[in-house]
Amino acid sequence: AARPLDQRQVAELLGPWLGSAELIADLPVPRLVDVSIIPEATVNMDSLSARLTEVAPGTSLDDHQVWLSKLVRLGHGLELLGMAVVVVVGMATAATVVYATRTGLAVHRSVIEVLHLIGAQDDYIARQFAYRSLMLGLRGGLIGLGMAAPILGGINWLATRIDDRMIPDVSLGFLHWVALGSLPVAAGYLAMATARITVHRALARMP
């Protein structure tokens, strides 16, 4: 579909930038034609631009897909960056838990030897470290989420203020908030599993 815009509609489009309608009336404003394309259709923009130039020399074809595709690529890049940050934070968390667990084993080595002498199994000792790591992971995750929630809420509020039908909805939905809320639980279980594996490996090497 193609719909030529009249002078009033063009003035409304330029109003936010130029202000006065009298000023717009005095300018050599070009005629604008609003063209809508069926979503499933494929149009060769270069060929269309060449044909328009033949019919009306000086015609300019503004394809929103050019800058919109760049915006989409930017969004995908930020999404991958966010996932990479989560992976790096998870690896750092696991490394910290390994170090803390090994330190705890070294500090309580004599107690662990006594527990072994009275018949305590390795799994019992590993559960004690795993439970403490779980609590610390949950507490740290909740503190981090509490600090990040106001910032995320502000970004979400700004995203909802964008009133442009050409830009997809970038606000956080219900599932996004559920995923964010599950991060402290994921951090806790990651810490617990890491501590448990670390303790079992360390106890297996103890005489």
Side-chain angles (χ1 to χ4, degrees):
R3 180 176 60 89
L5 303 183
D6 56 32
Q7 193 70 17
R8 180 185 59 81
Q9 293 172 314
V10 174
E12 291 177 355
L13 291 175
L14 297 178
W17 288 272
L18 300 182
S20 175
E22 291 76 11
L23 178 60
I24 298 174
D26 295 335
L27 294 176
V29 180
R31 290 296 305 273
L32 299 180
V33 179
D34 182 17
V35 179
S36 301
I37 300 175
I38 299 175
E40 293 79 10
T42 302
V43 179
N44 188 329
M45 293 299 176
D46 294 333
S47 176
L48 177 59
S49 180
R51 291 177 58 188
L52 289 174
T53 302
E54 292 177 0
V55 175
T59 300
S60 175
L61 179 63
D62 184 11
D63 182 11
H64 298 293
Q65 293 180 357
V66 175
W67 66 268
L68 188 58
S69 61
K70 295 180 180 179
L71 182 63
V72 172
R73 286 197 299 269
L74 174 62
H76 289 164
L78 293 176
E79 183 179 357
L80 292 176
L81 179 61
M83 295 174 63
V85 169
V86 172
V87 172
V88 171
V89 171
M91 294 174 62
T93 301
T96 303
V97 171
V98 170
Y99 176 78
T101 302
R102 288 179 177 176
T103 302
L105 287 171
V107 171
H108 300 289
R109 184 181 181 89
S110 59
V111 177
I112 294 173
E113 290 177 349
V114 172
L115 290 175
H116 273 156
L117 290 175
I118 61 177
Q121 300 296 321
D122 289 351
D123 191 63
Y124 170 80
I125 300 173
R127 285 201 305 270
Q128 311 312 309
F129 282 91
Y131 177 76
R132 176 163 178 78
S133 296
L134 172 63
M135 294 296 102
L136 290 175
L138 286 174
R139 185 168 63 183
L142 289 173
I143 292 174
L145 181 62
M147 296 176 64
I151 299 176
L152 294 174
I155 295 175
N156 184 64
W157 180 81
L158 291 175
T160 57
R161 306 296 294 180
I162 299 177
D163 186 16
D164 196 332
R165 297 180 181 180
M166 298 186 63
I167 300 177
D169 184 18
V170 294
S171 60
L172 296 177
F174 175 75
L175 293 180
H176 297 113
W177 287 109
V178 170
L180 289 172
S182 66
L183 287 178
V185 178
Y189 276 95
L190 174 63
M192 180 184 70
T194 303
R196 191 181 187 92
I197 294 173
T198 302
V199 171
H200 273 291
R201 288 182 176 180
L203 294 179
R205 292 193 296 267
M206 291 180 62

